[in-house]
Amino acid sequence: MLNLSKVESLSLLTDTSSFNAGEQVRESILMLERKWSEKKISFDLEIKEIHIQGNGPLLKQVWVNLIDNAVKFSPENSTISIRVTKDSEHFIFTIADQGIGMDEETRRRIFDKFYQGDTSHATAGNGLGLSLVKKIVELHRGTVSVESEAGRGSVFAVTLPLEQ
């Protein structure tokens, strides 16, 4: 909660530098190895070496949060697909899981503070992670979106401008 409060108070991005976002995504996957190995989750990866300008520690929180959620909501022995690519103007990160998915109401509210789509509370969390992701991405002048259907998994996409 403290972290969200700090990020929410920012209106301008500071401490930016150029870094290899592909490498940062790979590090984020490895940070969560214990969680995904316990569930025997495999990865389908296409991660390009792409340097972007931004606040590295903040963006690492984005990747860790999205990967952690994909692992949390994926069934055992499933596959998570991660793509790190770019077009002429944008860095693009996508993550697709084979998890529980979301209904329309959850999709509409998933980035709201304290909102949790899993009302059974079968999974741990406080409903702050995706609102933090959204704020960090917006600070980088980017967008985050989700496509999902109940019972069919979710695909999150983060798009950031290559030039800050």
Side-chain angles (χ1 to χ4, degrees):
M1 199 130 105
L2 182 61
N3 202 10
L4 178 63
S5 180
K6 281 188 210 173
V7 171
E8 280 188 328
S9 70
L10 294 174
S11 57
L12 189 60
L13 205 53
T14 57
D15 294 332
T16 64
S17 61
S18 177
F19 63 93
N20 184 335
E23 181 63 26
Q24 194 179 60
V25 169
R26 278 192 292 280
E27 289 170 4
S28 300
I29 294 167
L30 290 173
M31 275 179 57
L32 297 165
E33 181 178 11
R34 183 186 54 79
K35 289 183 178 186
W36 52 262
S37 349
E38 284 175 1
K39 291 180 84 174
K40 298 176 182 75
I41 291 175
S42 61
F43 286 86
D44 173 24
L45 303 174
E46 180 188 328
I47 300 177
K48 303 220 185 292
E49 303 295 314
I50 301 170
H51 282 79
I52 62 173
Q53 185 76 22
N55 182 304
L58 286 179
L59 285 171
K60 190 162 194 173
Q61 288 182 54
V62 170
W63 321 136
V64 168
N65 186 287
L66 292 173
I67 296 164
D68 188 46
N69 280 353
V71 170
K72 186 187 315 183
F73 292 104
S74 290
E76 286 194 10
N77 299 306
S78 62
T79 301
I80 295 172
S81 297
I82 297 177
R83 303 282 177 263
V84 173
T85 59
K86 69 176 182 172
D87 62 22
S88 60
E89 298 176 4
H90 301 96
F91 165 87
I92 304 158
F93 168 92
T94 56
I95 183 165
D97 65 49
Q98 300 170 329
I100 61 173
M102 295 176 244
D103 60 23
E104 186 178 337
E105 169 73 5
T106 302
R107 271 194 322 276
R108 264 188 314 113
R109 300 192 53 208
I110 199 69
F111 296 105
D112 294 352
K113 217 183 311 182
F114 300 113
Y115 181 76
Q116 291 183 287
D118 178 14
T119 54
S120 73
H121 299 288
T123 54
N126 55 22
L128 293 174
L130 289 175
S131 59
L132 182 64
V133 163
K134 184 174 188 212
K135 178 63 177 175
I136 292 169
V137 169
E138 288 174 346
L139 280 170
H140 285 84
R141 296 184 8 246
T143 60
V144 59
S145 62
V146 62
E147 291 178 22
S148 186
E149 197 175 313
R152 303 194 75 143
S154 301
V155 179
F156 283 84
V158 173
T159 303
L160 302 172
L162 285 173
E163 297 292 321
Q164 288 289 329

